């Protein structure tokens, strides 16, 4: 998973590495994977520990648009 491209499991065309931004009111983060079911928060909508979770890397197929996600600590903003 070190490269920036992989092959699509649906149509075998090239998939390109990217990410899904998590846009807040005044900042933008990488979306993160968290274990378990989401829990409601009165103030925030959903309870989330910002220090936990794994950054999500998303590959998009250049032909059919299929998305494949990988959660790994090493995928972060540089
Ligand atoms: Zn495809």
């Amino acid at each position: 998973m070190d490269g920036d491209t992989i092959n699509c499991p649906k149509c075998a065309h090239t998939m390109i590495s990217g990410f899904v931004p998590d846009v807040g009111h005044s900042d933008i983060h990488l979306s993160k994977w968290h274990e378990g079911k989401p829990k409601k928060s009165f103030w925030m909508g959903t309870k989330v520990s910002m220090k936990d979770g794994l950054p999500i890397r998303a590959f998009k197929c250049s032909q059919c648009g299929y998305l494949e996600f990988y959660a790994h600590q090493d995928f972060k903003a540089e």
Side-chain angles (χ1 to χ4, degrees), residues 11-58:
C11 73
H13 279 80
T14 301
M15 299 184 83
I16 302 164
S17 177
F19 64 96
V20 180
D22 180 6
V23 181
H25 290 290
S26 61
D27 52 6
I28 302 172
H29 299 276
L30 280 177
S31 291
K32 289 185 172 183
W33 175 89
H34 290 264
E35 184 176 349
K37 293 182 177 181
K39 295 179 181 162
K40 288 184 181 178
S41 165
F42 179 79
W43 297 107
M44 303 299 288
T46 303
K47 287 184 182 176
V48 173
S49 170
M50 293 305 289
K51 66 178 183 177
D52 294 333
L54 294 170
I56 297 172
R57 184 178 191 180

Side-chain angles (χ1 to χ4, degrees), residues 1-8 13-18 57 59-60:
M1 197 54 55
D2 294 333
D4 287 335
T5 63
I6 59 176
N7 291 329
C8 179
H13 279 80
T14 301
M15 299 184 83
I16 302 164
S17 177
R57 184 178 191 180
F59 282 84
K60 185 192 80 65

